[in-house]
Amino acid sequence: MGQDKEKLIAVLQKCMLCAGMGAAEIRELLDSSQVRIKEYSKGDIVFHDGDMPRCIYILLEGEVHILKDTFSGRQIFLSEIDEAGDMFGEVYDVLEQPYDMYVEAVTKSKVLEISSHLLRFGAGGVMSKSALMVQQNLMRIFARKAYFMQGKIKVLASGSLREKIVRFLFQNLGQDGNVKLAISREYMAAYLAATRPSLSRELSAMHREGILAVDGKHIRVLDMDRFEEYL
């Protein structure tokens, strides 16, 4: 790999799965026969709904979407993975449960796949230092996800879509009253269990009413008193 491996190491050092790992530990992980890089063309399916997990995935290049089809055939957008180092599929892999969604490459993408056999809890034999560190990091990742879900439950427990929006923005509100979203409008709608048009209409209404100033992913609270009425 040479220079390519060094670039890959730099990407993985920013990944939560490799937190605290030096270049030597990451090289050890990459040298394992249980780790491979796979390329996907636009429209390729990384894994299907109902498949049994066989590895943990880390995006290296490109963009993939997490999707779900309804019984009527409508496609539901759940999330996007578009940052190098972002991980997906890890919960299903550790729990050994089949996927209840699928992942599609929306651009030409490159993905690092870490086999379940390398990280399986309770596996016999001597585990490498890098594999042990990855297991420890997985526990931290699951703890963060649990915390994230607790916040999401608070948001979804709100009555109206406007209340959900306000609680979501409140959790991400800076001291200056500004929110800079790191996610797309589609992802925010999926998070709030709403359609994208409904979310856009409500944000536009709050903008017209002078509660918010909405400019793409930048949102500023203009009237904090009226904003907090919905908390």
Side-chain angles (χ1 to χ4, degrees):
M1 273 187 189
Q3 190 175 13
D4 288 340
K5 179 176 280 191
E6 294 308 309
K7 290 180 180 179
L8 182 54
I9 290 171
V11 170
L12 293 179
Q13 284 179 322
K14 300 176 184 178
C15 176
M16 290 178 62
L17 192 66
C18 298
M21 296 174 67
E25 286 84 15
I26 296 177
R27 284 193 189 92
E28 180 184 59
L29 182 68
L30 294 175
D31 288 339
S32 169
S33 60
Q34 304 293 334
V35 177
R36 68 171 183 169
I37 296 174
K38 188 171 180 181
E39 294 188 0
Y40 293 90
S41 299
K42 180 180 179 180
D44 284 351
I45 302 299
V46 179
F47 58 75
H48 293 84
D49 191 338
D51 284 352
M52 284 300 296
R54 57 182 178 78
C55 56
I56 291 172
Y57 301 89
I58 298 176
L59 183 71
L60 301 177
E61 296 176 9
E63 180 177 350
V64 301
H65 284 181
I66 300 176
L67 305 164
K68 177 78 176 177
D69 289 340
T70 66
F71 289 111
S72 62
R74 185 168 67 90
Q75 186 183 77
I76 300 175
F77 171 87
L78 299 178
S79 183
E80 61 189 358
I81 307 293
D82 59 359
E83 293 288 337
D86 282 354
M87 181 173 55
F88 55 99
E90 72 282 359
V91 173
Y92 298 86
D93 185 76
V94 171
L95 295 179
E96 300 183 60
Q97 294 294 317
Y99 300 114
D100 57 5
M101 41 68 172
Y102 63 98
V103 173
E104 179 181 340
V106 294
T107 66
K108 183 178 180 181
S109 302
K110 188 179 293 185
V111 176
L112 184 73
E113 300 181 349
I114 302 176
S115 172
S116 308
H117 298 295
L118 183 69
L119 305 172
R120 185 66 66 217
F121 296 126
V126 178
M127 183 169 287
S128 68
K129 180 180 179 181
S130 58
L132 183 59
M133 292 179 76
V134 167
Q135 280 196 359
Q136 293 170 342
N137 285 334
L138 272 175
M139 291 300 96
R140 296 187 182 96
I141 289 167
F142 290 159
R144 289 189 182 208
K145 283 183 178 286
Y147 181 78
F148 172 82
M149 287 305 300
Q150 184 180 34
K152 184 173 183 177
I153 289 170
K154 290 179 181 178
V155 170
L156 295 179
S158 306
S160 67
L161 177 56
R162 181 168 294 198
E163 289 171 341
K164 292 178 183 179
I165 291 170
V166 168
R167 289 199 177 190
F168 174 81
L169 295 177
F170 183 74
Q171 290 180 356
N172 297 277
L173 194 64
Q175 294 286 341
D176 57 359
N178 289 307
V179 176
K180 185 176 180 180
L181 297 175
I183 58 175
S184 67
R185 191 70 60 88
E186 287 85 358
Y187 181 84
M188 183 176 174
Y191 182 94
L192 298 177
T195 64
R196 190 184 187 283
S198 296
L199 173 63
S200 295
R201 282 195 298 270
E202 195 61 46
L203 286 173
S204 295
M206 296 174 76
H207 182 93
R208 289 194 304 272
E209 293 169 25
I211 301 172
L212 302 175
V214 182
D215 181 15
K217 290 188 177 183
H218 292 81
I219 298 176
R220 183 161 55 93
V221 178
L222 299 176
D223 190 330
M224 189 61 71
D225 290 335
R226 294 180 63 195
F227 178 82
E228 291 184 353
E229 286 178 1
Y230 297 97
L231 289 174

